[in-house]
Amino acid sequence: MGLEQGSDGGDGGKPAEGRRTAKMGIAFDLGVRLGVSVVIGLGGGLLLDSWLDTSPIFTLIGMVLGIGAAMYTIWDVAHDAMRK
Amino acid sequence: MIHVEIAGETLFTIAGFAVTNSMVGAVLAALLLLLGAWYVTSRSALIPSRMQSLLELPVEWMAGIVEGSTSRWRSYVGLVIALFLMILVANWLGLLPGVGTIGIYHEVDGHEVLTPLVRPAGADLNFTLGLAIITFVVFVWWGVRVNGPVGYLKELVGEPRYMAPLMFPIHLISELSRLVSLSMRLFGNVFAGEVLIATMLALTTATLFVIPLAFFVPAIFLGLELLFGAVQAMVFALLTMTYITMAIAEHGGENAADEDAHGHLDTEPDSHPAASPA
């Protein structure tokens, strides 16, 4: 089986194939993570506001942080792809 | 009437612990995998039979993909394959006759509603979130292992240090988004598939339509669900591999691993000369 006979990732076409597949995985994930980042930021802000009764301060901060996290995710993925 | 519950429905309780139909689905999937593993290991031959080849095919295929990711692939290949097989079997289990259609009738708001005895595990957020938490813990653990606890925290804080109040929550949200996106994607796809098939069955078995339609239209969607089930299992497993690969490869972790690897793992005590008795 491949488990016993495989290389250690240091030769041939398998590493390149694995990295290509990993990049495909990131592409699958990127779109969802953008939306989820904003939702987490916004949801966290709303929860904090309802808990501390400070509406809408934390909602706005959470939204900005969520959008920031979404932008950071794009930058992180692009940076990682450029490095390789 | 089309009735699809978002949450898993409780069948019975054991000492206050609710057993839901999606838990039954997960246990059945695990039992099927155990049965397959027992069959392969008890009758394995150097020249495999057709059945052995068939059962080994997904394992070899996924191992081939993981093999090229990093030099430490042997440390996490088991997890990636286990996640792939578990999700695949759990998803395909939902397409079998009787799953979602055999159950107990009870009355809700004057309507007779069926509580299925078995429900596909992926159609319950608890199952997908559980798998995502396992993945999350593993890739964070790899990040801590490669960078050290302080190094990992420094990563979260970011550079330059005076930007920490802004960058720390952004990094935290970005990390958490992986957990949420993994669990919600799988749940959303499997649950949407369940709703789609239930809707198609309800529409085509209505008196308005002719009988052949009741066979062919759901069959098309069942075929599509077969494909989506495999794709979703592959996506979840690939993303797990990607996250672990990123945790290892970032900051030269992979280079460090290359120096001591060449087939050896530092998770295997025997691979270290210091670990062997003098």
Side-chain angles (χ1 to χ4, degrees), chain A residues 50-61:
Chain A
S50 66
W51 182 40
L52 301 170
D53 203 18
T54 50
S55 183
I57 296 170
F58 285 110
T59 305
L60 291 173
I61 293 173

Side-chain angles (χ1 to χ4, degrees), chain A residues 6-8 15 19 25 29 72, chain B residues 67 171 185 239 243 254 262-263:
Chain A
S7 71
D8 295 316
R19 290 196 177 100
D29 194 38
Y72 170 77
Chain B
E67 194 182 336
H171 279 136
R185 183 191 304 103
L239 285 174
Y243 291 153
E254 188 174 359
H262 296 291

Side-chain angles (χ1 to χ4, degrees), chain A residues 1 3 6-9 14-15 18-19 21-22 24-26 28-29 32-33 36-37 40-41 65 69 72-73 83, chain B residues 56 59-60 64-65 67-68 71 73-74 170-171 173-174 177-178 180-181 185 238-239 242-243 250 254 262-263:
Chain A
M1 273 176 66
L3 284 171
S7 71
D8 295 316
K14 282 276 175 66
R19 290 196 177 100
T21 318
M24 197 173 78
I26 295 169
F28 264 118
D29 194 38
V32 181
R33 277 182 68 195
V36 166
S37 297
I40 290 176
L65 287 176
Y72 170 77
T73 303
R83 197 172 51 190
Chain B
E56 282 181 356
V59 177
E60 286 190 12
I65 291 173
E67 194 182 336
S71 56
W73 66 276
R74 283 171 202 265
I170 283 180
H171 279 136
I173 292 172
S174 183
S177 71
R178 294 178 184 187
V180 179
S181 77
R185 183 191 304 103
L238 283 184
L239 285 174
T242 305
Y243 291 153
E250 277 175 6
E254 188 174 359
H262 296 291

